[in-house]
Amino acid sequence: MTRNEHEYYVDISNIAKSLDRIANALENNNEVAHNVKHAFTGIDGKQVDEEYEAEQDELYTDDIKAQDDALNKETQEELDTQHDYLHQLVQDLDNERYNEFCNIHCLRANDAVEVSNYITDLDYVEVLGIIKEIEAANEDDKLIEDDVTYDDDYDLRVTAKMYTAELKAGDFRTKKECILDYITNEFGSQGARYTDIIKFAYYLNHANGSKFDSTRDRGYYSLGMSGRNPYLVHGGKDYLVKGINKEGNERYFALSHVESVTEYWKHI
C-alpha cells in the first residue's frame, strides 16, 4: 500500500468517526428537547395550555364579577335616588292631584305607608315613567298659572272666584249683593268707576273665561246700570248711587255706604 493510499483510508476513518459523533450529538439534543417539552407540557401535551386557560378564565370571571358588582351598586344607588325624588314629587302634589295619583295606581289615599311602599317597589323603568308623567303635569299647571298670573285682571278674577264661592255657600243671596259688597270693600271712600263695576260683573260670571274686552263685553253688563231693568241702581234696600269723593270725582257707591263717605250724592 502506498503512502497516499494509507493517508486516504485514514481520512475516511476520521470522517466516519466525525459523522458518528455528529449523529450522537443530534440524537442527544433531540432527547433533551423532548424531555424539556414534556417538562413543560406534561404527558399529553395539554396540561400547560389547560392550566393557563383556567387561570385566565378565573381572572376574567373575577374581573367581570367586579364590574357587574360595581354596575349593580351604581344602578341601585341611581334607583334609590329616583325613588326619593318620586316620593318628594308625590308629597308636593295638592289634594286633587294626590287623589288622582292614588286612583290611577289603585292606592288608598289615606294610607301613606301603602303609597310609600308602592313607590319603593317600582323598578327603574316604572319609576322614571311616573316621574315623567308628574313632571309633565306640573309643567302644564305652571304654564296655565303663568298665563293667568300675567293677566292684568288676575287679582280681579281671584276676587270674583271668592265671591262666587261665598254666593254658593249662602253668604250672599244675589250677585247684586256681591257687586255692592265688592265696590264698598274694594274702593271704599274713593268709589268705583263705571268700568270697574262692569268688569267685576263680567268676571263674577266668567272667572275662568277669556279676558274682559270692553268692546265685546261692555254692552251686555251695562244693562244692569242703564237698560230697561237697571237692577243695580234701584230696587231693594241697597243699590248703586253716584257721589262726589274727596278728590272731587264722581264715582259709584252703595247706598248703604255713601253717607259715610260724602254729603254730595244722588240717586241714578
mmCIF file of all heavy atoms in Angstrom, residues 222-261:
data_model
loop_
_atom_site.group_PDB
_atom_site.id
_atom_site.type_symbol
_atom_site.label_atom_id
_atom_site.label_comp_id
_atom_site.label_asym_id
_atom_site.label_seq_id
_atom_site.Cartn_x
_atom_site.Cartn_y
_atom_site.Cartn_z
ATOM 1 N N SER A 222 -123.608 96.350 30.982
ATOM 2 C CA SER A 222 -124.036 97.724 31.288
ATOM 3 C C SER A 222 -125.546 97.828 31.443
ATOM 4 O O SER A 222 -126.070 98.812 31.974
ATOM 5 C CB SER A 222 -123.559 98.680 30.182
ATOM 6 O OG SER A 222 -124.235 98.402 28.953
ATOM 7 N N LEU A 223 -126.239 96.789 30.977
ATOM 8 C CA LEU A 223 -127.700 96.809 31.077
ATOM 9 C C LEU A 223 -128.169 96.849 32.526
ATOM 10 O O LEU A 223 -129.265 97.343 32.822
ATOM 11 C CB LEU A 223 -128.287 95.570 30.382
ATOM 12 C CG LEU A 223 -128.081 95.477 28.868
ATOM 13 C CD1 LEU A 223 -128.663 94.164 28.341
ATOM 14 C CD2 LEU A 223 -128.724 96.674 28.163
ATOM 15 N N GLY A 224 -127.359 96.341 33.430
ATOM 16 C CA GLY A 224 -127.735 96.365 34.844
ATOM 17 C C GLY A 224 -127.673 97.746 35.446
ATOM 18 O O GLY A 224 -128.132 97.963 36.570
ATOM 19 N N MET A 225 -127.124 98.704 34.687
ATOM 20 C CA MET A 225 -126.996 100.069 35.200
ATOM 21 C C MET A 225 -127.767 101.088 34.370
ATOM 22 O O MET A 225 -128.099 102.173 34.862
ATOM 23 C CB MET A 225 -125.516 100.476 35.251
ATOM 24 C CG MET A 225 -124.680 99.582 36.151
ATOM 25 S SD MET A 225 -122.924 99.979 36.144
ATOM 26 C CE MET A 225 -122.949 101.590 36.911
ATOM 27 N N SER A 226 -128.036 100.735 33.111
ATOM 28 C CA SER A 226 -128.696 101.742 32.281
ATOM 29 C C SER A 226 -129.718 101.163 31.309
ATOM 30 O O SER A 226 -130.210 101.871 30.433
ATOM 31 C CB SER A 226 -127.640 102.528 31.481
ATOM 32 O OG SER A 226 -126.876 101.642 30.673
ATOM 33 N N GLY A 227 -130.057 99.906 31.419
ATOM 34 C CA GLY A 227 -131.003 99.288 30.499
ATOM 35 C C GLY A 227 -132.433 99.491 30.941
ATOM 36 O O GLY A 227 -132.748 100.331 31.790
ATOM 37 N N ARG A 228 -133.323 98.690 30.363
ATOM 38 C CA ARG A 228 -134.747 98.785 30.723
ATOM 39 C C ARG A 228 -134.998 98.344 32.162
ATOM 40 O O ARG A 228 -135.963 98.791 32.789
ATOM 41 C CB ARG A 228 -135.567 97.932 29.767
ATOM 42 C CG ARG A 228 -135.602 98.452 28.329
ATOM 43 C CD ARG A 228 -136.486 97.576 27.466
ATOM 44 N NE ARG A 228 -136.573 98.106 26.102
ATOM 45 C CZ ARG A 228 -137.284 97.540 25.131
ATOM 46 N NH1 ARG A 228 -138.006 96.436 25.392
ATOM 47 N NH2 ARG A 228 -137.295 98.069 23.919
ATOM 48 N N ASN A 229 -134.149 97.453 32.641
ATOM 49 C CA ASN A 229 -134.296 96.991 34.024
ATOM 50 C C ASN A 229 -132.945 97.115 34.734
ATOM 51 O O ASN A 229 -132.278 96.121 35.012
ATOM 52 C CB ASN A 229 -134.781 95.541 34.046
ATOM 53 C CG ASN A 229 -134.983 95.029 35.457
ATOM 54 O OD1 ASN A 229 -135.301 95.808 36.362
ATOM 55 N ND2 ASN A 229 -134.805 93.737 35.653
ATOM 56 N N PRO A 230 -132.544 98.335 35.037
ATOM 57 C CA PRO A 230 -131.234 98.560 35.650
ATOM 58 C C PRO A 230 -131.236 98.163 37.131
ATOM 59 O O PRO A 230 -131.311 99.018 38.030
ATOM 60 C CB PRO A 230 -131.014 100.058 35.460
ATOM 61 C CG PRO A 230 -132.385 100.631 35.455
ATOM 62 C CD PRO A 230 -133.270 99.598 34.820
ATOM 63 N N TYR A 231 -131.146 96.865 37.356
ATOM 64 C CA TYR A 231 -131.330 96.334 38.714
ATOM 65 C C TYR A 231 -130.241 96.776 39.693
ATOM 66 O O TYR A 231 -130.430 96.702 40.903
ATOM 67 C CB TYR A 231 -131.381 94.799 38.666
ATOM 68 C CG TYR A 231 -130.122 94.141 38.136
ATOM 69 C CD1 TYR A 231 -129.111 93.761 38.995
ATOM 70 C CD2 TYR A 231 -129.960 93.922 36.771
ATOM 71 C CE1 TYR A 231 -127.953 93.170 38.509
ATOM 72 C CE2 TYR A 231 -128.821 93.340 36.285
ATOM 73 C CZ TYR A 231 -127.806 92.959 37.145
ATOM 74 O OH TYR A 231 -126.656 92.381 36.659
ATOM 75 N N LEU A 232 -129.112 97.238 39.161
ATOM 76 C CA LEU A 232 -128.033 97.645 40.062
ATOM 77 C C LEU A 232 -128.252 99.040 40.648
ATOM 78 O O LEU A 232 -127.626 99.392 41.660
ATOM 79 C CB LEU A 232 -126.682 97.625 39.326
ATOM 80 C CG LEU A 232 -126.126 96.252 38.961
ATOM 81 C CD1 LEU A 232 -124.827 96.399 38.172
ATOM 82 C CD2 LEU A 232 -125.871 95.400 40.201
ATOM 83 N N VAL A 233 -129.135 99.842 40.051
ATOM 84 C CA VAL A 233 -129.292 101.234 40.501
ATOM 85 C C VAL A 233 -130.662 101.515 41.129
ATOM 86 O O VAL A 233 -130.954 102.670 41.474
ATOM 87 C CB VAL A 233 -129.042 102.219 39.325
ATOM 88 C CG1 VAL A 233 -127.614 102.090 38.834
ATOM 89 C CG2 VAL A 233 -130.034 101.982 38.196
ATOM 90 N N HIS A 234 -131.455 100.498 41.284
ATOM 91 C CA HIS A 234 -132.717 100.684 42.009
ATOM 92 C C HIS A 234 -133.236 99.316 42.446
ATOM 93 O O HIS A 234 -132.770 98.271 41.997
ATOM 94 C CB HIS A 234 -133.768 101.413 41.147
ATOM 95 C CG HIS A 234 -134.346 100.563 40.058
ATOM 96 N ND1 HIS A 234 -135.330 99.624 40.263
ATOM 97 C CD2 HIS A 234 -134.076 100.519 38.719
ATOM 98 C CE1 HIS A 234 -135.643 99.032 39.128
ATOM 99 N NE2 HIS A 234 -134.881 99.557 38.166
ATOM 100 N N GLY A 235 -134.235 99.345 43.318
ATOM 101 C CA GLY A 235 -134.854 98.110 43.807
ATOM 102 C C GLY A 235 -134.174 97.591 45.055
ATOM 103 O O GLY A 235 -132.949 97.633 45.193
ATOM 104 N N GLY A 236 -134.985 97.138 45.998
ATOM 105 C CA GLY A 236 -134.459 96.607 47.238
ATOM 106 C C GLY A 236 -133.969 97.698 48.173
ATOM 107 O O GLY A 236 -134.158 98.897 47.933
ATOM 108 N N LYS A 237 -133.315 97.270 49.248
ATOM 109 C CA LYS A 237 -132.851 98.231 50.248
ATOM 110 C C LYS A 237 -131.512 98.858 49.879
ATOM 111 O O LYS A 237 -131.162 99.927 50.398
ATOM 112 C CB LYS A 237 -132.726 97.534 51.609
ATOM 113 C CG LYS A 237 -134.046 97.060 52.187
ATOM 114 C CD LYS A 237 -133.826 96.420 53.546
ATOM 115 C CE LYS A 237 -135.151 95.951 54.140
ATOM 116 N NZ LYS A 237 -134.956 95.331 55.482
ATOM 117 N N ASP A 238 -130.770 98.203 49.016
ATOM 118 C CA ASP A 238 -129.436 98.711 48.688
ATOM 119 C C ASP A 238 -129.214 98.654 47.177
ATOM 120 O O ASP A 238 -129.607 97.674 46.517
ATOM 121 C CB ASP A 238 -128.367 97.883 49.408
ATOM 122 C CG ASP A 238 -127.061 98.648 49.587
ATOM 123 O OD1 ASP A 238 -127.039 99.864 49.316
ATOM 124 O OD2 ASP A 238 -126.063 98.012 49.993
ATOM 125 N N TYR A 239 -128.564 99.662 46.644
ATOM 126 C CA TYR A 239 -128.285 99.729 45.213
ATOM 127 C C TYR A 239 -127.225 100.812 44.986
ATOM 128 O O TYR A 239 -126.799 101.506 45.927
ATOM 129 C CB TYR A 239 -129.557 100.020 44.414
ATOM 130 C CG TYR A 239 -130.414 101.124 44.991
ATOM 131 C CD1 TYR A 239 -130.167 102.465 44.677
ATOM 132 C CD2 TYR A 239 -131.474 100.833 45.851
ATOM 133 C CE1 TYR A 239 -130.936 103.476 45.211
ATOM 134 C CE2 TYR A 239 -132.250 101.833 46.388
ATOM 135 C CZ TYR A 239 -131.979 103.158 46.070
ATOM 136 O OH TYR A 239 -132.741 104.159 46.609
ATOM 137 N N LEU A 240 -126.835 101.000 43.730
ATOM 138 C CA LEU A 240 -125.788 101.965 43.409
ATOM 139 C C LEU A 240 -126.332 103.389 43.315
ATOM 140 O O LEU A 240 -127.434 103.621 42.796
ATOM 141 C CB LEU A 240 -125.131 101.614 42.073
ATOM 142 C CG LEU A 240 -124.265 100.362 42.030
ATOM 143 C CD1 LEU A 240 -123.769 100.122 40.610
ATOM 144 C CD2 LEU A 240 -123.082 100.476 42.986
ATOM 145 N N VAL A 241 -125.539 104.321 43.838
ATOM 146 C CA VAL A 241 -125.824 105.748 43.679
ATOM 147 C C VAL A 241 -124.531 106.437 43.260
ATOM 148 O O VAL A 241 -123.443 105.843 43.338
ATOM 149 C CB VAL A 241 -126.345 106.380 44.995
ATOM 150 C CG1 VAL A 241 -127.662 105.757 45.392
ATOM 151 C CG2 VAL A 241 -125.302 106.222 46.102
ATOM 152 N N LYS A 242 -124.632 107.679 42.828
ATOM 153 C CA LYS A 242 -123.451 108.450 42.469
ATOM 154 C C LYS A 242 -123.134 109.462 43.563
ATOM 155 O O LYS A 242 -124.038 110.079 44.134
ATOM 156 C CB LYS A 242 -123.654 109.186 41.145
ATOM 157 C CG LYS A 242 -123.536 108.311 39.922
ATOM 158 C CD LYS A 242 -123.613 109.147 38.656
ATOM 159 C CE LYS A 242 -123.418 108.289 37.426
ATOM 160 N NZ LYS A 242 -123.476 109.102 36.169
ATOM 161 N N GLY A 243 -121.844 109.600 43.834
ATOM 162 C CA GLY A 243 -121.417 110.557 44.847
ATOM 163 C C GLY A 243 -120.111 111.204 44.450
ATOM 164 O O GLY A 243 -119.402 110.707 43.569
ATOM 165 N N ILE A 244 -119.763 112.304 45.129
ATOM 166 C CA ILE A 244 -118.511 113.008 44.868
ATOM 167 C C ILE A 244 -117.506 112.617 45.958
ATOM 168 O O ILE A 244 -117.762 112.818 47.149
ATOM 169 C CB ILE A 244 -118.726 114.535 44.880
ATOM 170 C CG1 ILE A 244 -119.826 114.922 43.888
ATOM 171 C CG2 ILE A 244 -117.425 115.251 44.571
ATOM 172 C CD1 ILE A 244 -119.510 114.560 42.458
ATOM 173 N N ASN A 245 -116.362 112.030 45.534
ATOM 174 C CA ASN A 245 -115.350 111.635 46.528
ATOM 175 C C ASN A 245 -114.496 112.832 46.960
ATOM 176 O O ASN A 245 -114.707 113.967 46.494
ATOM 177 C CB ASN A 245 -114.486 110.490 46.003
ATOM 178 C CG ASN A 245 -113.660 110.883 44.788
ATOM 179 O OD1 ASN A 245 -113.434 112.068 44.514
ATOM 180 N ND2 ASN A 245 -113.226 109.875 44.040
ATOM 181 N N LYS A 246 -113.507 112.619 47.807
ATOM 182 C CA LYS A 246 -112.697 113.701 48.369
ATOM 183 C C LYS A 246 -111.861 114.419 47.318
ATOM 184 O O LYS A 246 -111.460 115.570 47.514
ATOM 185 C CB LYS A 246 -111.783 113.135 49.453
ATOM 186 C CG LYS A 246 -112.532 112.628 50.671
ATOM 187 C CD LYS A 246 -111.576 112.060 51.709
ATOM 188 C CE LYS A 246 -112.333 111.559 52.926
ATOM 189 N NZ LYS A 246 -111.416 111.009 53.955
ATOM 190 N N GLU A 247 -111.591 113.721 46.202
ATOM 191 C CA GLU A 247 -110.816 114.346 45.132
ATOM 192 C C GLU A 247 -111.718 115.139 44.184
ATOM 193 O O GLU A 247 -111.244 115.731 43.206
ATOM 194 C CB GLU A 247 -110.068 113.279 44.324
ATOM 195 C CG GLU A 247 -108.808 112.749 44.998
ATOM 196 C CD GLU A 247 -109.151 111.823 46.147
ATOM 197 O OE1 GLU A 247 -110.223 111.192 46.103
ATOM 198 O OE2 GLU A 247 -108.341 111.744 47.091
ATOM 199 N N GLY A 248 -113.010 115.141 44.484
ATOM 200 C CA GLY A 248 -113.946 115.891 43.646
ATOM 201 C C GLY A 248 -114.393 115.129 42.421
ATOM 202 O O GLY A 248 -114.991 115.715 41.501
ATOM 203 N N ASN A 249 -114.129 113.809 42.367
ATOM 204 C CA ASN A 249 -114.523 112.985 41.225
ATOM 205 C C ASN A 249 -115.835 112.272 41.502
ATOM 206 O O ASN A 249 -116.085 111.806 42.624
ATOM 207 C CB ASN A 249 -113.447 111.949 40.921
ATOM 208 C CG ASN A 249 -112.132 112.592 40.515
ATOM 209 O OD1 ASN A 249 -112.111 113.548 39.740
ATOM 210 N ND2 ASN A 249 -111.027 112.064 41.055
ATOM 211 N N GLU A 250 -116.667 112.202 40.468
ATOM 212 C CA GLU A 250 -117.932 111.483 40.606
ATOM 213 C C GLU A 250 -117.689 109.981 40.448
ATOM 214 O O GLU A 250 -117.105 109.531 39.469
ATOM 215 C CB GLU A 250 -118.927 111.960 39.544
ATOM 216 C CG GLU A 250 -120.324 111.388 39.751
ATOM 217 C CD GLU A 250 -121.317 111.912 38.712
ATOM 218 O OE1 GLU A 250 -121.126 111.598 37.517
ATOM 219 O OE2 GLU A 250 -122.254 112.629 39.108
ATOM 220 N N ARG A 251 -118.130 109.225 41.426
ATOM 221 C CA ARG A 251 -117.928 107.779 41.423
ATOM 222 C C ARG A 251 -119.200 107.094 41.909
ATOM 223 O O ARG A 251 -120.143 107.726 42.400
ATOM 224 C CB ARG A 251 -116.750 107.380 42.337
ATOM 225 C CG ARG A 251 -115.391 107.877 41.857
ATOM 226 C CD ARG A 251 -114.940 107.119 40.620
ATOM 227 N NE ARG A 251 -113.582 107.458 40.230
ATOM 228 C CZ ARG A 251 -113.249 108.396 39.352
ATOM 229 N NH1 ARG A 251 -114.211 109.132 38.775
ATOM 230 N NH2 ARG A 251 -111.993 108.637 39.053
ATOM 231 N N TYR A 252 -119.202 105.760 41.793
ATOM 232 C CA TYR A 252 -120.355 104.956 42.226
ATOM 233 C C TYR A 252 -120.107 104.419 43.634
ATOM 234 O O TYR A 252 -118.992 103.955 43.956
ATOM 235 C CB TYR A 252 -120.565 103.796 41.263
ATOM 236 C CG TYR A 252 -121.086 104.209 39.905
ATOM 237 C CD1 TYR A 252 -120.208 104.527 38.865
ATOM 238 C CD2 TYR A 252 -122.464 104.294 39.668
ATOM 239 C CE1 TYR A 252 -120.684 104.907 37.623
ATOM 240 C CE2 TYR A 252 -122.952 104.676 38.417
ATOM 241 C CZ TYR A 252 -122.046 104.986 37.406
ATOM 242 O OH TYR A 252 -122.520 105.370 36.170
ATOM 243 N N PHE A 253 -121.167 104.449 44.442
ATOM 244 C CA PHE A 253 -121.107 103.931 45.808
ATOM 245 C C PHE A 253 -122.373 103.122 46.074
ATOM 246 O O PHE A 253 -123.399 103.313 45.406
ATOM 247 C CB PHE A 253 -121.039 105.076 46.833
ATOM 248 C CG PHE A 253 -119.833 105.946 46.705
ATOM 249 C CD1 PHE A 253 -119.861 107.065 45.865
ATOM 250 C CD2 PHE A 253 -118.680 105.683 47.423
ATOM 251 C CE1 PHE A 253 -118.752 107.893 45.749
ATOM 252 C CE2 PHE A 253 -117.569 106.501 47.305
ATOM 253 C CZ PHE A 253 -117.595 107.608 46.464
ATOM 254 N N ALA A 254 -122.299 102.260 47.052
ATOM 255 C CA ALA A 254 -123.508 101.583 47.519
ATOM 256 C C ALA A 254 -124.292 102.558 48.391
ATOM 257 O O ALA A 254 -123.707 103.345 49.155
ATOM 258 C CB ALA A 254 -123.146 100.327 48.307
ATOM 259 N N LEU A 255 -125.600 102.551 48.264
ATOM 260 C CA LEU A 255 -126.433 103.456 49.050
ATOM 261 C C LEU A 255 -126.155 103.300 50.542
ATOM 262 O O LEU A 255 -126.129 104.284 51.286
ATOM 263 C CB LEU A 255 -127.911 103.180 48.746
ATOM 264 C CG LEU A 255 -128.927 103.949 49.568
ATOM 265 C CD1 LEU A 255 -128.809 105.451 49.334
ATOM 266 C CD2 LEU A 255 -130.355 103.467 49.254
ATOM 267 N N SER A 256 -125.945 102.057 50.970
ATOM 268 C CA SER A 256 -125.716 101.797 52.393
ATOM 269 C C SER A 256 -124.390 102.364 52.893
ATOM 270 O O SER A 256 -124.149 102.426 54.102
ATOM 271 C CB SER A 256 -125.746 100.286 52.642
ATOM 272 O OG SER A 256 -124.742 99.649 51.852
ATOM 273 N N HIS A 257 -123.542 102.809 51.979
ATOM 274 C CA HIS A 257 -122.201 103.251 52.364
ATOM 275 C C HIS A 257 -121.949 104.725 52.041
ATOM 276 O O HIS A 257 -121.100 105.360 52.682
ATOM 277 C CB HIS A 257 -121.163 102.376 51.626
ATOM 278 C CG HIS A 257 -119.747 102.761 51.874
ATOM 279 N ND1 HIS A 257 -119.151 102.672 53.108
ATOM 280 C CD2 HIS A 257 -118.797 103.264 51.014
ATOM 281 C CE1 HIS A 257 -117.901 103.071 53.017
ATOM 282 N NE2 HIS A 257 -117.652 103.446 51.762
ATOM 283 N N VAL A 258 -122.670 105.291 51.098
ATOM 284 C CA VAL A 258 -122.321 106.596 50.553
ATOM 285 C C VAL A 258 -122.332 107.718 51.599
ATOM 286 O O VAL A 258 -121.483 108.619 51.589
ATOM 287 C CB VAL A 258 -123.240 106.962 49.367
ATOM 288 C CG1 VAL A 258 -124.676 107.179 49.827
ATOM 289 C CG2 VAL A 258 -122.697 108.181 48.622
ATOM 290 N N GLU A 259 -123.278 107.713 52.542
ATOM 291 C CA GLU A 259 -123.381 108.803 53.501
ATOM 292 C C GLU A 259 -122.214 108.830 54.480
ATOM 293 O O GLU A 259 -121.957 109.871 55.100
ATOM 294 C CB GLU A 259 -124.710 108.721 54.250
ATOM 295 C CG GLU A 259 -125.914 109.043 53.355
ATOM 296 C CD GLU A 259 -127.217 109.088 54.128
ATOM 297 O OE1 GLU A 259 -127.234 108.614 55.288
ATOM 298 O OE2 GLU A 259 -128.218 109.582 53.590
ATOM 299 N N SER A 260 -121.514 107.692 54.609
ATOM 300 C CA SER A 260 -120.340 107.679 55.485
ATOM 301 C C SER A 260 -119.109 108.230 54.775
ATOM 302 O O SER A 260 -118.061 108.411 55.394
ATOM 303 C CB SER A 260 -120.053 106.251 55.973
ATOM 304 O OG SER A 260 -119.684 105.412 54.885
ATOM 305 N N VAL A 261 -119.262 108.500 53.470
ATOM 306 C CA VAL A 261 -118.133 108.956 52.657
ATOM 307 C C VAL A 261 -118.291 110.411 52.252
ATOM 308 O O VAL A 261 -117.344 111.196 52.315
ATOM 309 C CB VAL A 261 -117.996 108.095 51.385
ATOM 310 C CG1 VAL A 261 -116.931 108.641 50.460
ATOM 311 C CG2 VAL A 261 -117.678 106.665 51.766
#
